[in-house]
Amino acid sequence: MHLFRLAATSLLASASLPQVVSSFALSRHNFISQISLLSFAARRSNASVTECNASSVDKEGTPPLSQMVDTQYPGTAVQRLKAVHERVKVIAADGTLNGPWEDVRRRILWAGGLRDLPDAVPGQGYTGHSFNDWNHVDLTTMNDDTTDNQNDGSVKGIAVGNRLGNGIRVASLPELGSGGSWSTCAMGCNQDPPNDVAHIQFRSRIAFKLVWVPNENYDTFVLVDDDGTLLAKGKPSDGPDALPHLRERMMNYKIMEGSKYSSAADQIAKET
C-alpha cells in the first residue's frame, strides 16, 4: 500500500487538477503502468535482499548438512573434530611437541579441546591421566546427543556403564564448537572395525590417537587420525625418565600393533 500511495502522490504532484480530470483515462492507464513497474521493482529488491543474505551465509562458511554429520559414525562432533585437526597443525609446526613432557601433554590437551585439570575429581573433569598411560590416548570428539552414552558391555575390558558425561562437559573447551572432547580408552582399536570406546560407546571417530614409537627407548610418539594418517610427531626433550613409565609406552604400542594405527610409528621406527 505504501508503494501505491507514493505512485499516486507522484502523479498528482506532476499535473494540475484540471489536467488530471481532463485526461483521466490516460492518467489512469499510466498510473496502473507505474504501479506495475513499482511492484515489479519491489519484488526484485526483496529477491536481491534474500539473495544477498543467502550469499553472506555462504561466505561465512556454513557447511552443508552432509559435512556436519558422519553417516558411518553419527556420534562424531564433525565440526569440533575439524577444529581439533586445525589445532594439531599448530602444535605440529611450532616445536612444542619436542619440549618437556608435561608441557607437551598440556599442548596435546589444548589441541584436543580439553582443559588441563590434574586436581579435579576423577569422573568430574580430571584429565591428569590423559595421554599419561597406555590406554587413555584417543582424543574423541562426540556430539551432545551421545555425551552421556554408556558402555553396555560391547566394549570388552571396559567397565559396564563407563559414565563419562559429566567429566566431558567440565573438561571440554567450548571454543572448538558443539559437542565435547575426551581422552577415551584405545583398547580394542586393533580390530577392524575398531572395537573401542570411541567407535562403540560414543559411535564416534577419533580426532587423533597418541602412539609411542617402538624404537629402543620408546621415547618418540606420533599423533594419527582415524584412518591412521600421520598428523604430528614429537620427542620430548626431558628424556625417557620424564615420560609415562616404559611399561605403559610399550603396552600402548602393543595394543596398536598390526593395525592401521601403528603404521606411522612402525615407519618412524624403521628410519631410526
Side-chain angles (χ1 to χ4, degrees):
M1 288 301 294
H2 183 63
L3 289 172
F4 284 89
R5 292 193 187 104
L6 283 175
T9 301
S10 176
L11 283 172
L12 291 172
S14 65
S16 64
L17 181 59
Q19 290 174 315
V20 173
V21 172
S22 63
S23 58
F24 175 79
L26 180 59
S27 296
R28 182 176 181 276
H29 175 75
N30 290 339
F31 178 83
I32 293 172
S33 297
Q34 288 194 40
I35 291 301
S36 297
L37 287 172
L38 287 168
S39 298
F40 175 77
R43 288 195 300 271
R44 291 297 299 161
S45 177
N46 288 337
S48 297
V49 170
T50 302
E51 288 167 5
C52 289
N53 288 340
S55 176
S56 67
V57 170
D58 291 340
K59 287 180 180 178
E60 289 173 1
T62 301
L65 184 61
S66 61
Q67 293 182 21
M68 298 176 69
V69 177
D70 187 317
T71 55
Q72 185 175 5
Y73 291 104
T76 308
V78 175
Q79 293 305 304
R80 189 175 182 87
L81 182 148
K82 291 180 178 180
V84 168
H85 283 171
E86 289 303 310
R87 284 193 170 187
V88 172
K89 289 178 183 177
V90 173
I91 64 174
D94 67 7
T96 57
L97 295 182
N98 297 317
W101 168 243
E102 272 308 311
D103 291 343
V104 170
R105 196 180 71 85
R106 292 188 189 99
R107 288 293 279 170
I108 294 172
L109 288 170
W110 172 82
L114 282 172
R115 295 183 171 92
D116 178 32
L117 298 175
D119 300 319
V121 176
Q124 298 298 318
Y126 175 72
T127 56
H129 65 309
S130 301
F131 308 104
N132 238 351
D133 62 14
W134 63 274
N135 198 19
H136 295 90
V137 294
D138 281 358
L139 194 287
T140 303
T141 54
M142 63 286 288
N143 62 38
D144 291 323
D145 292 337
T146 59
T147 299
D148 289 304
N149 281 14
Q150 299 179 39
N151 176 30
D152 62 3
S154 298
V155 187
K156 305 305 178 186
I158 302 298
V160 173
N162 194 32
R163 299 171 185 267
L164 300 174
N166 288 339
I168 292 169
R169 283 184 284 272
V170 171
S172 295
L173 296 171
E175 62 265 28
L176 271 72
S178 61
S181 298
W182 196 247
S183 54
T184 57
C185 295
M187 172 187 262
C189 71
N190 60 338
Q191 299 180 40
D192 188 16
N195 190 60
D196 52 32
V197 170
H199 295 90
I200 301 301
Q201 180 173 336
F202 292 106
R203 299 182 298 137
S204 172
R205 295 184 190 275
I206 61 166
F208 64 78
K209 180 190 300 287
L210 185 149
V211 186
W212 290 99
V213 174
N215 57 17
E216 182 178 359
N217 294 315
Y218 285 78
D219 59 357
T220 301
F221 67 86
V222 295
L223 301 181
V224 299
D225 68 11
D226 198 65
D227 294 321
T229 302
L230 178 65
L231 299 176
K233 67 177 179 178
K235 183 177 181 179
S237 60
D238 43 2
D241 290 344
L243 303 176
H245 196 279
L246 177 60
R247 288 194 303 270
E248 301 281 346
R249 305 192 314 266
M250 293 176 69
M251 185 65 178
N252 166 267
Y253 172 76
K254 190 68 177 175
I255 67 169
M256 319 285 180
E257 189 174 12
S259 74
K260 61 185 177 181
Y261 298 121
S262 72
S263 297
D266 291 336
Q267 185 61 39
I268 292 173
K270 289 177 182 177
E271 296 170 354
T272 56

